[in-house]
């Protein structure tokens, strides 16, 4: 982040962090800088809000029937208790986690983002040699952007090995992401698996997992280091444009 080619970003991040109050800055990590930058750019009105105020916004969206966020919580990839609901994690999340979740909810409402994600997931579904993944970031115009990266290693359809160029690009990205797309009906694996959580512990990034529920639906999970995994509900494939 301190390399000369990122000087402009570092300056922007310093200004954004300087605008935060003591509660918002508490426990801030390097992975949070992109979240703070995006928040200051798109939602400066969030910066003075408390952690509880942001949490209330998340809770309202995830629990409101009108928001259409159906949840898939029957994950079979872990033995024992594996909490996935926001309400179970709420007390352990900090201000920057709340802002990251709100940005993830917003990004996945953007039709161009969902269109790219479903197209990419369709290609993953056809490729039995690996999982696909990448990053979600803001482009030069401040729009949410999905960036694809080729996996470093192939040979396992249930694993995505992030290449070094993705790790490098991820320092200024909002989220790392990958798909669970071994089947179009993959709901029993709709959450980050143990290997995904180990990845989050290693790279300390904010991450998203997208899982096919059916051909037109994917479930979204936010996760980070420390075993945190929050189900963000389902997103729908945008309708195809009429010919």
């Amino acid at each position: 982040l301190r390399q000369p080619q990122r000087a402009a970003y570092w300056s922007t991040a310093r200004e954004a962090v300087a605008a935060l109050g003591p509660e918002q800055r508490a426990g801030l990590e390097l992975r949070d800088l992109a979240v703070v930058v995006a928040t200051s750019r798109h939602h400066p009105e969030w910066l003075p809000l408390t952690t509880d105020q942001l949490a209330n916004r998340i809770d309202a969206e995830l629990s409101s029937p009108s928001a259409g966020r159906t949840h898939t919580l029957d994950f079979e990839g872990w033995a024992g208790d594996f909490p996935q609901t926001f309400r179970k994690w709420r007390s352990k999340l900090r201000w920057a986690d709340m802002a990251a979740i709100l940005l993830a909810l917003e990004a996945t409402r953007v039709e161009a983002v969902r269109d790219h994600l479903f197209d990419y997931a369709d290609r993953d579904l056809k490729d039995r040699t690996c999982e696909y993944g990448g990053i979600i970031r803001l482009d030069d115009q401040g729009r949410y952007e999905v960036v694809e990266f080729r996996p470093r290693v192939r040979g396992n359809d249930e694993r995505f090995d992030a290449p070094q160029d993705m790790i490098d690009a991820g320092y200024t990205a909002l989220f790392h992401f990958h798909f669970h797309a071994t089947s179009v009906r993959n709901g029993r694996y709709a959450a980050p698996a143990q290997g995904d959580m180990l990845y989050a512990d290693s790279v300390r990034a904010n991450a998203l997992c997208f899982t096919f529920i059916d051909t037109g639906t994917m479930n979204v999970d936010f996760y980070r280091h420390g075993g945190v995994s929050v189900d963000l509900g389902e997103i729908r494939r945008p309708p195809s444009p009429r010919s």
Side-chain angles (χ1 to χ4, degrees), residues 38-217:
T39 300
S40 66
R41 184 164 190 174
H42 286 288
H43 293 285
E45 72 278 9
W46 293 355
L47 296 178
L49 297 183
T50 66
T51 303
D52 274 345
Q53 286 174 319
L54 293 185
N56 290 338
R57 292 182 176 219
I58 296 168
D59 194 39
E61 177 158 355
L62 294 182
S63 60
S64 170
S66 63
R69 289 276 178 173
T70 304
H71 300 273
T72 300
L73 300 171
D74 54 346
F75 184 54
E76 297 181 3
W78 290 79
D81 186 41
F82 180 60
Q84 299 177 65
T85 64
F86 174 70
R87 290 181 178 179
K88 287 186 177 181
W89 282 109
R90 175 171 175 161
S91 64
K92 294 181 172 60
L93 299 177
R94 298 176 294 101
W95 183 90
D97 294 318
M98 303 296 184
I101 289 172
L102 284 170
L103 292 171
L105 290 170
E106 179 174 78
T108 53
R109 287 195 296 266
V110 177
E111 185 167 314
V113 170
R114 287 186 288 117
D115 188 59
H116 192 160
L117 287 169
F118 273 95
D119 174 73
Y120 195 20
D122 287 341
R123 284 178 275 142
D124 185 1
L125 185 66
K126 295 175 182 178
D127 188 340
R128 297 302 184 185
T129 67
C130 63
E131 292 178 341
Y132 285 11
I135 61 173
I136 295 177
R137 66 185 182 191
L138 297 185
D139 66 12
D140 291 339
Q141 299 179 47
R143 300 170 299 187
Y144 292 109
E145 177 183 39
V146 177
V147 184
E148 303 176 14
F149 286 88
R150 294 180 179 274
R152 181 171 54 86
V153 178
R154 292 177 180 268
N156 187 340
D157 196 26
E158 297 180 357
R159 177 168 176 163
F160 174 70
D161 286 281
Q164 186 59 50
D165 56 346
M166 175 179 155
I167 301 296
D168 294 341
Y171 289 122
T172 56
L174 287 164
F175 308 104
H176 293 211
F177 77 87
H178 74 289
F179 298 106
H180 286 175
T182 55
S183 165
V184 291
R185 298 197 178 277
N186 218 28
R188 58 181 179 158
Y189 300 115
Q194 293 179 352
D196 302 328
M197 302 307 290
L198 290 173
Y199 176 85
D201 285 341
S202 176
V203 301
R204 309 286 288 196
N206 292 317
L208 299 174
C209 175
F210 296 95
T211 306
F212 266 123
I213 304 303
D214 55 45
T215 56
T217 310

